[in-house]
Amino acid sequence: MTPDQTDSSAHSNAHASAPANIPASPPSRVRFMLMHPAHWIAQGFGSGLSPIMPGTFGSLFGWLSFDLLSARWPLLFSTENWLIIIVAGFFLGIWVCGKTGRDMGQPDHGSMVWDEIIAIWLVLVMVMPADLKTQFWAFLCFRFFDMVKPPPIAYFDRRYKGGFGVMWDDIVAAFYTLLVLALWQVLMGNPL
């Protein structure tokens, strides 16, 4: 298994075998990413190039970027504006992940992490304001659902291919995460 094929549970069916057009060495992976803006975005501005658990690194990048942008420019990155960014990012992701997947010869390659970034932004915008501990639990819960893919996430992952399929299963994982966090708050009377 090549480094690009790690975190296979996050992108289950995409890693069965690596076609020859997927760059193997780190410098060639960086070159591939920089060949087209769609690759750069789909691969999470480089966070998806992590040799281990690229989906987790993409989610971490999403969490960090959400917190930094929200703290630095709170008027620009308001809840309403984040929701617009997330919706636009979802539709952009259909195209960039579709193109990058076609160019790599794998429709859901593990290095494509834009889906994780958009989904973790959705989780965070819905739980904010939240302390670091709550954000951490939201991150862990999202990663769990994204990697384990309970029904119907696994169904969507198998059924829908291309850019839409890449993006949609992570949105469902974000929904599960928000459901668990809401149930926790209702049952325990406080956020995590």
Side-chain angles (χ1 to χ4, degrees), residues 81-121:
N81 288 346
W82 268 118
L83 290 172
I84 292 167
I85 291 166
I86 291 163
V87 170
F90 176 82
F91 289 107
L92 175 67
I94 293 172
W95 177 71
V96 300
C97 291
K99 170 155 182 50
T100 302
R102 283 189 305 277
D103 291 350
M104 294 184 99
Q106 274 186 307
D108 195 359
H109 190 268
S111 69
M112 296 189 307
V113 296
W114 184 247
D115 51 334
E116 278 88 0
I117 293 169
I118 293 298
I120 197 68
W121 284 353

Side-chain angles (χ1 to χ4, degrees), residues 23 25-35 43 49:
S25 68
S28 58
R29 286 186 298 209
V30 171
R31 266 194 307 279
F32 173 82
M33 181 185 70
L34 297 175
M35 284 174 48
Q43 293 180 313
L49 299 182

Side-chain angles (χ1 to χ4, degrees), residues 97-180:
C97 291
K99 170 155 182 50
T100 302
R102 283 189 305 277
D103 291 350
M104 294 184 99
Q106 274 186 307
D108 195 359
H109 190 268
S111 69
M112 296 189 307
V113 296
W114 184 247
D115 51 334
E116 278 88 0
I117 293 169
I118 293 298
I120 197 68
W121 284 353
L122 177 60
V123 168
L124 291 169
V125 79
M126 299 305 286
V127 301
M128 294 308 254
D131 61 12
L132 191 58
K133 182 178 87 167
T134 302
Q135 292 178 52
F136 176 73
W137 282 110
F139 169 81
L140 285 182
C141 192
F142 169 69
R143 289 308 302 143
F144 171 79
F145 287 121
D146 188 33
M147 292 189 312
V148 173
K149 298 192 183 306
I153 300 172
Y155 168 79
F156 292 133
D157 191 47
R158 285 188 311 273
R159 175 82 168 93
Y160 298 106
K161 298 300 177 195
F164 179 79
V166 171
M167 297 299 297
W168 184 246
D169 70 310
D170 286 78
I171 296 299
V172 178
F175 171 76
Y176 273 16
T177 300
L178 293 168
L179 182 62
V180 165

